[in-house]
PDB file of all heavy atoms in Angstrom:
ATOM      1  N   SER A   1     -61.650  27.776  -1.488  1.00 98.00           N
ATOM      2  CA  SER A   1     -60.264  27.375  -1.864  1.00 98.00           C
ATOM      3  C   SER A   1     -59.509  28.672  -2.254  1.00 98.00           C
ATOM      4  O   SER A   1     -60.018  29.741  -2.430  1.00 98.00           O
ATOM      5  CB  SER A   1     -60.299  26.448  -3.046  1.00 98.00           C
ATOM      6  OG  SER A   1     -60.824  27.143  -4.226  1.00 98.00           O
ATOM      7  N   PHE A   2     -58.187  28.482  -2.379  1.00 98.00           N
ATOM      8  CA  PHE A   2     -57.335  29.556  -2.812  1.00 98.00           C
ATOM      9  C   PHE A   2     -57.778  30.169  -4.106  1.00 98.00           C
ATOM     10  O   PHE A   2     -57.821  31.293  -4.262  1.00 98.00           O
ATOM     11  CB  PHE A   2     -55.879  29.078  -2.891  1.00 98.00           C
ATOM     12  CG  PHE A   2     -54.916  30.023  -3.425  1.00 98.00           C
ATOM     13  CD1 PHE A   2     -54.589  31.244  -2.755  1.00 98.00           C
ATOM     14  CD2 PHE A   2     -54.249  29.829  -4.666  1.00 98.00           C
ATOM     15  CE1 PHE A   2     -53.681  32.168  -3.235  1.00 98.00           C
ATOM     16  CE2 PHE A   2     -53.368  30.788  -5.189  1.00 98.00           C
ATOM     17  CZ  PHE A   2     -53.077  31.892  -4.483  1.00 98.00           C
ATOM     18  N   GLU A   3     -58.144  29.315  -5.072  1.00 97.00           N
ATOM     19  CA  GLU A   3     -58.563  29.754  -6.425  1.00 97.00           C
ATOM     20  C   GLU A   3     -59.894  30.449  -6.396  1.00 97.00           C
ATOM     21  O   GLU A   3     -60.186  31.335  -7.209  1.00 97.00           O
ATOM     22  CB  GLU A   3     -58.620  28.593  -7.364  1.00 97.00           C
ATOM     23  CG  GLU A   3     -57.228  28.022  -7.703  1.00 97.00           C
ATOM     24  CD  GLU A   3     -56.856  26.857  -6.794  1.00 97.00           C
ATOM     25  OE1 GLU A   3     -57.423  26.716  -5.667  1.00 97.00           O
ATOM     26  OE2 GLU A   3     -56.015  26.046  -7.194  1.00 97.00           O
ATOM     27  N   ARG A   4     -60.781  30.062  -5.407  1.00 98.00           N
ATOM     28  CA  ARG A   4     -62.164  30.533  -5.479  1.00 98.00           C
ATOM     29  C   ARG A   4     -62.451  31.727  -4.528  1.00 98.00           C
ATOM     30  O   ARG A   4     -63.337  32.536  -4.855  1.00 98.00           O
ATOM     31  CB  ARG A   4     -63.051  29.368  -5.138  1.00 98.00           C
ATOM     32  CG  ARG A   4     -64.540  29.625  -5.028  1.00 98.00           C
ATOM     33  CD  ARG A   4     -65.157  30.172  -6.392  1.00 98.00           C
ATOM     34  NE  ARG A   4     -66.535  30.653  -6.200  1.00 98.00           N
ATOM     35  CZ  ARG A   4     -67.076  31.523  -6.969  1.00 98.00           C
ATOM     36  NH1 ARG A   4     -66.490  31.988  -7.990  1.00 98.00           N
ATOM     37  NH2 ARG A   4     -68.333  31.923  -6.719  1.00 98.00           N
ATOM     38  N   ARG A   5     -61.746  31.828  -3.428  1.00 98.00           N
ATOM     39  CA  ARG A   5     -62.128  32.760  -2.372  1.00 98.00           C
ATOM     40  C   ARG A   5     -62.244  34.207  -2.873  1.00 98.00           C
ATOM     41  O   ARG A   5     -63.260  34.850  -2.651  1.00 98.00           O
ATOM     42  CB  ARG A   5     -61.153  32.688  -1.201  1.00 98.00           C
ATOM     43  CG  ARG A   5     -61.681  33.512  -0.027  1.00 98.00           C
ATOM     44  CD  ARG A   5     -60.690  33.420   1.148  1.00 98.00           C
ATOM     45  NE  ARG A   5     -61.271  34.122   2.361  1.00 98.00           N
ATOM     46  CZ  ARG A   5     -60.589  34.288   3.455  1.00 98.00           C
ATOM     47  NH1 ARG A   5     -59.321  33.880   3.551  1.00 98.00           N
ATOM     48  NH2 ARG A   5     -61.195  35.008   4.456  1.00 98.00           N
ATOM     49  N   TYR A   6     -61.192  34.694  -3.492  1.00 98.00           N
ATOM     50  CA  TYR A   6     -61.253  36.173  -3.889  1.00 98.00           C
ATOM     51  C   TYR A   6     -62.308  36.315  -4.969  1.00 98.00           C
ATOM     52  O   TYR A   6     -62.963  37.365  -5.016  1.00 98.00           O
ATOM     53  CB  TYR A   6     -59.840  36.530  -4.422  1.00 98.00           C
ATOM     54  CG  TYR A   6     -59.751  37.989  -4.695  1.00 98.00           C
ATOM     55  CD1 TYR A   6     -59.854  38.926  -3.701  1.00 98.00           C
ATOM     56  CD2 TYR A   6     -59.385  38.482  -5.971  1.00 98.00           C
ATOM     57  CE1 TYR A   6     -59.685  40.318  -3.912  1.00 98.00           C
ATOM     58  CE2 TYR A   6     -59.249  39.846  -6.216  1.00 98.00           C
ATOM     59  CZ  TYR A   6     -59.418  40.772  -5.180  1.00 98.00           C
ATOM     60  OH  TYR A   6     -59.221  42.102  -5.360  1.00 98.00           O
ATOM     61  N   ALA A   7     -62.497  35.342  -5.792  1.00 97.00           N
ATOM     62  CA  ALA A   7     -63.558  35.434  -6.851  1.00 97.00           C
ATOM     63  C   ALA A   7     -64.902  35.510  -6.165  1.00 97.00           C
ATOM     64  O   ALA A   7     -65.740  36.394  -6.647  1.00 97.00           O
ATOM     65  CB  ALA A   7     -63.498  34.256  -7.759  1.00 97.00           C
ATOM     66  N   ALA A   8     -65.162  34.762  -5.164  1.00 98.00           N
ATOM     67  CA  ALA A   8     -66.501  34.797  -4.494  1.00 98.00           C
ATOM     68  C   ALA A   8     -66.677  36.109  -3.841  1.00 98.00           C
ATOM     69  O   ALA A   8     -67.819  36.725  -3.823  1.00 98.00           O
ATOM     70  CB  ALA A   8     -66.529  33.680  -3.473  1.00 98.00           C
ATOM     71  N   ILE A   9     -65.661  36.687  -3.200  1.00 98.00           N
ATOM     72  CA  ILE A   9     -65.725  37.990  -2.564  1.00 98.00           C
ATOM     73  C   ILE A   9     -66.094  39.034  -3.626  1.00 98.00           C
ATOM     74  O   ILE A   9     -66.977  39.915  -3.400  1.00 98.00           O
ATOM     75  CB  ILE A   9     -64.421  38.367  -1.828  1.00 98.00           C
ATOM     76  CG1 ILE A   9     -64.231  37.413  -0.703  1.00 98.00           C
ATOM     77  CG2 ILE A   9     -64.416  39.796  -1.405  1.00 98.00           C
ATOM     78  CD1 ILE A   9     -62.813  37.541  -0.071  1.00 98.00           C
ATOM     79  N   CYS A  10     -65.399  39.065  -4.702  1.00 97.00           N
ATOM     80  CA  CYS A  10     -65.609  40.080  -5.740  1.00 97.00           C
ATOM     81  C   CYS A  10     -66.988  39.947  -6.352  1.00 97.00           C
ATOM     82  O   CYS A  10     -67.619  40.972  -6.639  1.00 97.00           O
ATOM     83  CB  CYS A  10     -64.541  40.033  -6.814  1.00 97.00           C
ATOM     84  SG  CYS A  10     -62.906  40.512  -6.256  1.00 97.00           S
ATOM     85  N   GLU A  11     -67.490  38.700  -6.504  1.00 97.00           N
ATOM     86  CA  GLU A  11     -68.817  38.476  -7.103  1.00 97.00           C
ATOM     87  C   GLU A  11     -69.898  39.124  -6.145  1.00 97.00           C
ATOM     88  O   GLU A  11     -70.804  39.777  -6.629  1.00 97.00           O
ATOM     89  CB  GLU A  11     -69.066  36.994  -7.219  1.00 97.00           C
ATOM     90  CG  GLU A  11     -68.377  36.409  -8.461  1.00 97.00           C
ATOM     91  CD  GLU A  11     -68.537  34.923  -8.566  1.00 97.00           C
ATOM     92  OE1 GLU A  11     -69.383  34.363  -7.769  1.00 97.00           O
ATOM     93  OE2 GLU A  11     -67.818  34.288  -9.309  1.00 97.00           O
ATOM     94  N   GLU A  12     -69.728  38.905  -4.835  1.00 98.00           N
ATOM     95  CA  GLU A  12     -70.745  39.466  -4.007  1.00 98.00           C
ATOM     96  C   GLU A  12     -70.700  41.022  -3.987  1.00 98.00           C
ATOM     97  O   GLU A  12     -71.740  41.625  -3.945  1.00 98.00           O
ATOM     98  CB  GLU A  12     -70.553  38.967  -2.521  1.00 98.00           C
ATOM     99  CG  GLU A  12     -71.602  39.613  -1.583  1.00 98.00           C
ATOM    100  CD  GLU A  12     -71.438  39.179  -0.127  1.00 98.00           C
ATOM    101  OE1 GLU A  12     -70.954  38.044   0.148  1.00 98.00           O
ATOM    102  OE2 GLU A  12     -71.832  40.030   0.759  1.00 98.00           O
ATOM    103  N   GLN A  13     -69.492  41.522  -4.019  1.00 97.00           N
ATOM    104  CA  GLN A  13     -69.346  42.987  -3.998  1.00 97.00           C
ATOM    105  C   GLN A  13     -69.589  43.684  -5.363  1.00 97.00           C
ATOM    106  O   GLN A  13     -69.649  44.890  -5.396  1.00 97.00           O
ATOM    107  CB  GLN A  13     -67.957  43.364  -3.455  1.00 97.00           C
ATOM    108  CG  GLN A  13     -67.792  42.984  -2.011  1.00 97.00           C
ATOM    109  CD  GLN A  13     -66.529  43.621  -1.389  1.00 97.00           C
ATOM    110  OE1 GLN A  13     -65.492  43.648  -2.005  1.00 97.00           O
ATOM    111  NE2 GLN A  13     -66.696  44.186  -0.182  1.00 97.00           N
ATOM    112  N   GLY A  14     -69.731  42.827  -6.393  1.00 96.00           N
ATOM    113  CA  GLY A  14     -70.009  43.384  -7.715  1.00 96.00           C
ATOM    114  C   GLY A  14     -68.800  44.178  -8.346  1.00 96.00           C
ATOM    115  O   GLY A  14     -69.004  45.142  -8.964  1.00 96.00           O
ATOM    116  N   ILE A  15     -67.634  43.738  -7.942  1.00 94.00           N
ATOM    117  CA  ILE A  15     -66.432  44.413  -8.444  1.00 94.00           C
ATOM    118  C   ILE A  15     -65.553  43.449  -9.234  1.00 94.00           C
ATOM    119  O   ILE A  15     -65.634  42.255  -9.096  1.00 94.00           O
ATOM    120  CB  ILE A  15     -65.598  44.996  -7.308  1.00 94.00           C
ATOM    121  CG1 ILE A  15     -65.109  43.892  -6.335  1.00 94.00           C
ATOM    122  CG2 ILE A  15     -66.385  46.071  -6.552  1.00 94.00           C
ATOM    123  CD1 ILE A  15     -64.157  44.319  -5.258  1.00 94.00           C
ATOM    124  N   ALA A  16     -64.748  44.017 -10.142  1.00 92.00           N
ATOM    125  CA  ALA A  16     -63.870  43.242 -10.938  1.00 92.00           C
ATOM    126  C   ALA A  16     -62.569  44.040 -11.123  1.00 92.00           C
ATOM    127  O   ALA A  16     -62.325  44.638 -12.229  1.00 92.00           O
ATOM    128  CB  ALA A  16     -64.421  42.817 -12.283  1.00 92.00           C
ATOM    129  N   PRO A  17     -61.704  44.140 -10.096  1.00 93.00           N
ATOM    130  CA  PRO A  17     -60.470  45.009 -10.197  1.00 93.00           C
ATOM    131  C   PRO A  17     -59.633  44.611 -11.346  1.00 93.00           C
ATOM    132  O   PRO A  17     -59.366  43.369 -11.593  1.00 93.00           O
ATOM    133  CB  PRO A  17     -59.786  44.751  -8.879  1.00 93.00           C
ATOM    134  CG  PRO A  17     -60.886  44.290  -7.938  1.00 93.00           C
ATOM    135  CD  PRO A  17     -61.827  43.485  -8.837  1.00 93.00           C
ATOM    136  N   ARG A  18     -59.066  45.575 -12.087  1.00 90.00           N
ATOM    137  CA  ARG A  18     -58.131  45.309 -13.138  1.00 90.00           C
ATOM    138  C   ARG A  18     -56.880  44.795 -12.605  1.00 90.00           C
ATOM    139  O   ARG A  18     -56.205  43.972 -13.328  1.00 90.00           O
ATOM    140  CB  ARG A  18     -57.907  46.649 -13.949  1.00 90.00           C
ATOM    141  CG  ARG A  18     -56.925  46.463 -15.102  1.00 90.00           C
ATOM    142  CD  ARG A  18     -56.703  47.776 -15.819  1.00 90.00           C
ATOM    143  NE  ARG A  18     -55.791  47.670 -16.914  1.00 90.00           N
ATOM    144  CZ  ARG A  18     -54.457  47.849 -16.739  1.00 90.00           C
ATOM    145  NH1 ARG A  18     -53.951  48.085 -15.531  1.00 90.00           N
ATOM    146  NH2 ARG A  18     -53.637  47.744 -17.770  1.00 90.00           N
ATOM    147  N   SER A  19     -56.464  45.260 -11.473  1.00 90.00           N
ATOM    148  CA  SER A  19     -55.159  44.841 -10.917  1.00 90.00           C
ATOM    149  C   SER A  19     -55.276  44.656  -9.456  1.00 90.00           C
ATOM    150  O   SER A  19     -56.226  45.106  -8.725  1.00 90.00           O
ATOM    151  CB  SER A  19     -54.130  45.867 -11.246  1.00 90.00           C
ATOM    152  OG  SER A  19     -54.448  47.122 -10.698  1.00 90.00           O
ATOM    153  N   TRP A  20     -54.323  43.940  -8.877  1.00 95.00           N
ATOM    154  CA  TRP A  20     -54.172  43.653  -7.449  1.00 95.00           C
ATOM    155  C   TRP A  20     -53.814  44.936  -6.714  1.00 95.00           C
ATOM    156  O   TRP A  20     -52.909  45.642  -7.067  1.00 95.00           O
ATOM    157  CB  TRP A  20     -53.105  42.634  -7.266  1.00 95.00           C
ATOM    158  CG  TRP A  20     -52.690  42.353  -5.831  1.00 95.00           C
ATOM    159  CD1 TRP A  20     -51.580  42.825  -5.217  1.00 95.00           C
ATOM    160  CD2 TRP A  20     -53.373  41.503  -4.926  1.00 95.00           C
ATOM    161  NE1 TRP A  20     -51.523  42.305  -3.957  1.00 95.00           N
ATOM    162  CE2 TRP A  20     -52.621  41.460  -3.748  1.00 95.00           C
ATOM    163  CE3 TRP A  20     -54.536  40.713  -4.915  1.00 95.00           C
ATOM    164  CZ2 TRP A  20     -52.935  40.766  -2.589  1.00 95.00           C
ATOM    165  CZ3 TRP A  20     -54.862  39.984  -3.766  1.00 95.00           C
ATOM    166  CH2 TRP A  20     -54.126  39.998  -2.678  1.00 95.00           C
ATOM    167  N   GLY A  21     -54.585  45.283  -5.662  1.00 93.00           N
ATOM    168  CA  GLY A  21     -54.335  46.489  -4.976  1.00 93.00           C
ATOM    169  C   GLY A  21     -54.069  46.314  -3.488  1.00 93.00           C
ATOM    170  O   GLY A  21     -54.285  47.279  -2.649  1.00 93.00           O
ATOM    171  N   LEU A  22     -53.651  45.150  -3.094  1.00 95.00           N
ATOM    172  CA  LEU A  22     -53.509  44.784  -1.642  1.00 95.00           C
ATOM    173  C   LEU A  22     -52.041  44.646  -1.225  1.00 95.00           C
ATOM    174  O   LEU A  22     -51.756  43.929  -0.263  1.00 95.00           O
ATOM    175  CB  LEU A  22     -54.356  43.591  -1.254  1.00 95.00           C
ATOM    176  CG  LEU A  22     -55.854  43.660  -1.601  1.00 95.00           C
ATOM    177  CD1 LEU A  22     -56.532  42.340  -1.218  1.00 95.00           C
ATOM    178  CD2 LEU A  22     -56.477  44.806  -0.875  1.00 95.00           C
ATOM    179  N   GLY A  23     -51.145  45.321  -1.975  1.00 95.00           N
ATOM    180  CA  GLY A  23     -49.740  45.263  -1.587  1.00 95.00           C
ATOM    181  C   GLY A  23     -48.951  44.319  -2.432  1.00 95.00           C
ATOM    182  O   GLY A  23     -49.416  43.259  -2.831  1.00 95.00           O
ATOM    183  N   SER A  24     -47.673  44.696  -2.774  1.00 95.00           N
ATOM    184  CA  SER A  24     -46.798  43.830  -3.597  1.00 95.00           C
ATOM    185  C   SER A  24     -45.310  44.136  -3.235  1.00 95.00           C
ATOM    186  O   SER A  24     -44.558  44.246  -4.172  1.00 95.00           O
ATOM    187  CB  SER A  24     -47.100  43.996  -5.059  1.00 95.00           C
ATOM    188  OG  SER A  24     -46.920  45.341  -5.437  1.00 95.00           O
ATOM    189  N   PHE A  25     -45.020  44.175  -1.975  1.00 96.00           N
ATOM    190  CA  PHE A  25     -43.573  44.338  -1.619  1.00 96.00           C
ATOM    191  C   PHE A  25     -43.326  43.522  -0.357  1.00 96.00           C
ATOM    192  O   PHE A  25     -44.163  43.463   0.554  1.00 96.00           O
ATOM    193  CB  PHE A  25     -43.299  45.838  -1.350  1.00 96.00           C
ATOM    194  CG  PHE A  25     -41.858  46.114  -0.963  1.00 96.00           C
ATOM    195  CD1 PHE A  25     -40.864  46.006  -1.876  1.00 96.00           C
ATOM    196  CD2 PHE A  25     -41.567  46.415   0.353  1.00 96.00           C
ATOM    197  CE1 PHE A  25     -39.541  46.241  -1.477  1.00 96.00           C
ATOM    198  CE2 PHE A  25     -40.240  46.658   0.742  1.00 96.00           C
ATOM    199  CZ  PHE A  25     -39.254  46.582  -0.206  1.00 96.00           C
ATOM    200  N   GLY A  26     -42.164  42.947  -0.277  1.00 96.00           N
ATOM    201  CA  GLY A  26     -41.804  42.186   0.941  1.00 96.00           C
ATOM    202  C   GLY A  26     -40.764  41.100   0.604  1.00 96.00           C
ATOM    203  O   GLY A  26     -40.427  40.912  -0.585  1.00 96.00           O
ATOM    204  N   ARG A  27     -40.420  40.414   1.628  1.00 97.00           N
ATOM    205  CA  ARG A  27     -39.313  39.336   1.369  1.00 97.00           C
ATOM    206  C   ARG A  27     -39.792  38.281   0.405  1.00 97.00           C
ATOM    207  O   ARG A  27     -38.938  37.831  -0.426  1.00 97.00           O
ATOM    208  CB  ARG A  27     -39.015  38.713   2.760  1.00 97.00           C
ATOM    209  CG  ARG A  27     -37.908  37.614   2.665  1.00 97.00           C
ATOM    210  CD  ARG A  27     -36.602  38.224   2.134  1.00 97.00           C
ATOM    211  NE  ARG A  27     -35.606  37.211   1.899  1.00 97.00           N
ATOM    212  CZ  ARG A  27     -34.590  36.952   2.745  1.00 97.00           C
ATOM    213  NH1 ARG A  27     -34.514  37.613   3.929  1.00 97.00           N
ATOM    214  NH2 ARG A  27     -33.692  36.048   2.426  1.00 97.00           N
ATOM    215  N   PRO A  28     -41.013  37.820   0.400  1.00 97.00           N
ATOM    216  CA  PRO A  28     -41.450  36.825  -0.632  1.00 97.00           C
ATOM    217  C   PRO A  28     -41.194  37.330  -2.065  1.00 97.00           C
ATOM    218  O   PRO A  28     -40.839  36.461  -2.931  1.00 97.00           O
ATOM    219  CB  PRO A  28     -42.915  36.610  -0.322  1.00 97.00           C
ATOM    220  CG  PRO A  28     -43.170  36.981   1.088  1.00 97.00           C
ATOM    221  CD  PRO A  28     -42.218  38.126   1.294  1.00 97.00           C
ATOM    222  N   PHE A  29     -41.337  38.588  -2.331  1.00 98.00           N
ATOM    223  CA  PHE A  29     -41.142  39.064  -3.647  1.00 98.00           C
ATOM    224  C   PHE A  29     -39.644  39.135  -4.031  1.00 98.00           C
ATOM    225  O   PHE A  29     -39.206  38.780  -5.102  1.00 98.00           O
ATOM    226  CB  PHE A  29     -41.769  40.498  -3.793  1.00 98.00           C
ATOM    227  CG  PHE A  29     -43.264  40.460  -3.698  1.00 98.00           C
ATOM    228  CD1 PHE A  29     -43.857  40.589  -2.493  1.00 98.00           C
ATOM    229  CD2 PHE A  29     -44.052  40.332  -4.863  1.00 98.00           C
ATOM    230  CE1 PHE A  29     -45.315  40.585  -2.393  1.00 98.00           C
ATOM    231  CE2 PHE A  29     -45.446  40.290  -4.760  1.00 98.00           C
ATOM    232  CZ  PHE A  29     -46.018  40.444  -3.511  1.00 98.00           C
ATOM    233  N   TYR A  30     -38.829  39.536  -3.042  1.00 98.00           N
ATOM    234  CA  TYR A  30     -37.339  39.561  -3.200  1.00 98.00           C
ATOM    235  C   TYR A  30     -36.909  38.182  -3.592  1.00 98.00           C
ATOM    236  O   TYR A  30     -36.078  37.935  -4.522  1.00 98.00           O
ATOM    237  CB  TYR A  30     -36.710  40.107  -2.048  1.00 98.00           C
ATOM    238  CG  TYR A  30     -35.185  39.974  -2.070  1.00 98.00           C
ATOM    239  CD1 TYR A  30     -34.396  41.015  -2.644  1.00 98.00           C
ATOM    240  CD2 TYR A  30     -34.528  38.852  -1.612  1.00 98.00           C
ATOM    241  CE1 TYR A  30     -33.023  40.927  -2.654  1.00 98.00           C
ATOM    242  CE2 TYR A  30     -33.177  38.734  -1.673  1.00 98.00           C
ATOM    243  CZ  TYR A  30     -32.356  39.753  -2.164  1.00 98.00           C
ATOM    244  OH  TYR A  30     -31.049  39.562  -2.222  1.00 98.00           O
ATOM    245  N   ASP A  31     -37.411  37.169  -2.795  1.00 98.00           N
ATOM    246  CA  ASP A  31     -36.977  35.783  -3.022  1.00 98.00           C
ATOM    247  C   ASP A  31     -37.432  35.252  -4.391  1.00 98.00           C
ATOM    248  O   ASP A  31     -36.744  34.487  -5.002  1.00 98.00           O
ATOM    249  CB  ASP A  31     -37.562  34.949  -1.929  1.00 98.00           C
ATOM    250  CG  ASP A  31     -36.906  35.175  -0.518  1.00 98.00           C
ATOM    251  OD1 ASP A  31     -35.836  35.807  -0.493  1.00 98.00           O
ATOM    252  OD2 ASP A  31     -37.561  34.795   0.484  1.00 98.00           O
ATOM    253  N   LEU A  32     -38.584  35.722  -4.877  1.00 97.00           N
ATOM    254  CA  LEU A  32     -39.054  35.407  -6.208  1.00 97.00           C
ATOM    255  C   LEU A  32     -38.176  35.985  -7.276  1.00 97.00           C
ATOM    256  O   LEU A  32     -37.803  35.275  -8.254  1.00 97.00           O
ATOM    257  CB  LEU A  32     -40.480  35.833  -6.329  1.00 97.00           C
ATOM    258  CG  LEU A  32     -41.266  35.367  -7.622  1.00 97.00           C
ATOM    259  CD1 LEU A  32     -41.504  33.892  -7.616  1.00 97.00           C
ATOM    260  CD2 LEU A  32     -42.511  36.151  -7.792  1.00 97.00           C
ATOM    261  N   TYR A  33     -37.851  37.199  -7.157  1.00 98.00           N
ATOM    262  CA  TYR A  33     -37.045  37.873  -8.218  1.00 98.00           C
ATOM    263  C   TYR A  33     -35.653  37.284  -8.328  1.00 98.00           C
ATOM    264  O   TYR A  33     -34.987  37.369  -9.352  1.00 98.00           O
ATOM    265  CB  TYR A  33     -36.867  39.386  -7.890  1.00 98.00           C
ATOM    266  CG  TYR A  33     -38.132  40.131  -7.669  1.00 98.00           C
ATOM    267  CD1 TYR A  33     -38.173  41.211  -6.836  1.00 98.00           C
ATOM    268  CD2 TYR A  33     -39.335  39.781  -8.280  1.00 98.00           C
ATOM    269  CE1 TYR A  33     -39.326  41.986  -6.581  1.00 98.00           C
ATOM    270  CE2 TYR A  33     -40.523  40.481  -8.072  1.00 98.00           C
ATOM    271  CZ  TYR A  33     -40.530  41.561  -7.238  1.00 98.00           C
ATOM    272  OH  TYR A  33     -41.671  42.275  -7.068  1.00 98.00           O
ATOM    273  N   THR A  34     -35.172  36.626  -7.239  1.00 98.00           N
ATOM    274  CA  THR A  34     -33.778  36.126  -7.175  1.00 98.00           C
ATOM    275  C   THR A  34     -33.765  34.625  -7.211  1.00 98.00           C
ATOM    276  O   THR A  34     -32.707  34.080  -6.830  1.00 98.00           O
ATOM    277  CB  THR A  34     -33.023  36.706  -5.926  1.00 98.00           C
ATOM    278  OG1 THR A  34     -33.765  36.371  -4.797  1.00 98.00           O
ATOM    279  CG2 THR A  34     -32.941  38.189  -6.029  1.00 98.00           C
ATOM    280  N   LEU A  35     -34.801  33.985  -7.620  1.00 98.00           N
ATOM    281  CA  LEU A  35     -34.765  32.523  -7.709  1.00 98.00           C
ATOM    282  C   LEU A  35     -33.611  32.025  -8.609  1.00 98.00           C
ATOM    283  O   LEU A  35     -33.488  32.493  -9.698  1.00 98.00           O
ATOM    284  CB  LEU A  35     -36.099  31.960  -8.284  1.00 98.00           C
ATOM    285  CG  LEU A  35     -37.301  32.002  -7.271  1.00 98.00           C
ATOM    286  CD1 LEU A  35     -38.584  31.613  -8.082  1.00 98.00           C
ATOM    287  CD2 LEU A  35     -37.051  31.064  -6.134  1.00 98.00           C
ATOM    288  N   PRO A  36     -32.886  31.053  -8.138  1.00 96.00           N
ATOM    289  CA  PRO A  36     -31.731  30.545  -8.955  1.00 96.00           C
ATOM    290  C   PRO A  36     -32.091  30.108 -10.355  1.00 96.00           C
ATOM    291  O   PRO A  36     -31.374  30.393 -11.365  1.00 96.00           O
ATOM    292  CB  PRO A  36     -31.182  29.434  -8.123  1.00 96.00           C
ATOM    293  CG  PRO A  36     -31.571  29.734  -6.726  1.00 96.00           C
ATOM    294  CD  PRO A  36     -32.941  30.386  -6.835  1.00 96.00           C
ATOM    295  N   GLY A  37     -33.180  29.406 -10.502  1.00 96.00           N
ATOM    296  CA  GLY A  37     -33.652  28.905 -11.825  1.00 96.00           C
ATOM    297  C   GLY A  37     -33.923  30.017 -12.771  1.00 96.00           C
ATOM    298  O   GLY A  37     -33.598  30.024 -13.955  1.00 96.00           O
ATOM    299  N   VAL A  38     -34.609  31.079 -12.259  1.00 98.00           N
ATOM    300  CA  VAL A  38     -34.888  32.225 -13.073  1.00 98.00           C
ATOM    301  C   VAL A  38     -33.633  33.043 -13.439  1.00 98.00           C
ATOM    302  O   VAL A  38     -33.480  33.463 -14.633  1.00 98.00           O
ATOM    303  CB  VAL A  38     -35.914  33.200 -12.313  1.00 98.00           C
ATOM    304  CG1 VAL A  38     -36.048  34.578 -13.035  1.00 98.00           C
ATOM    305  CG2 VAL A  38     -37.254  32.486 -12.157  1.00 98.00           C
TER     306      VAL A  38
END
């Protein structure tokens, strides 16, 4: 599942990253920052 997949990968590799390191820029982020409700 979405909630479990990355956890299972990290468990096998024996890693526990402090932060996300696979990118954090693009249109989805712009759209999040500019949500009307926010």
Side-chain angles (χ1 to χ4, degrees):
S1 67
F2 174 64
E3 294 91 340
R4 177 62 190 156
R5 187 180 186 186
Y6 189 61
I9 292 168
C10 290
E11 283 176 12
E12 180 182 328
Q13 294 193 313
I15 60 175
R18 178 181 179 273
S19 58
W20 171 259
L22 302 178
S24 58
F25 180 72
R27 182 60 187 262
F29 293 89
Y30 173 90
D31 291 342
L32 186 71
Y33 306 150
T34 57
L35 284 174
V38 170

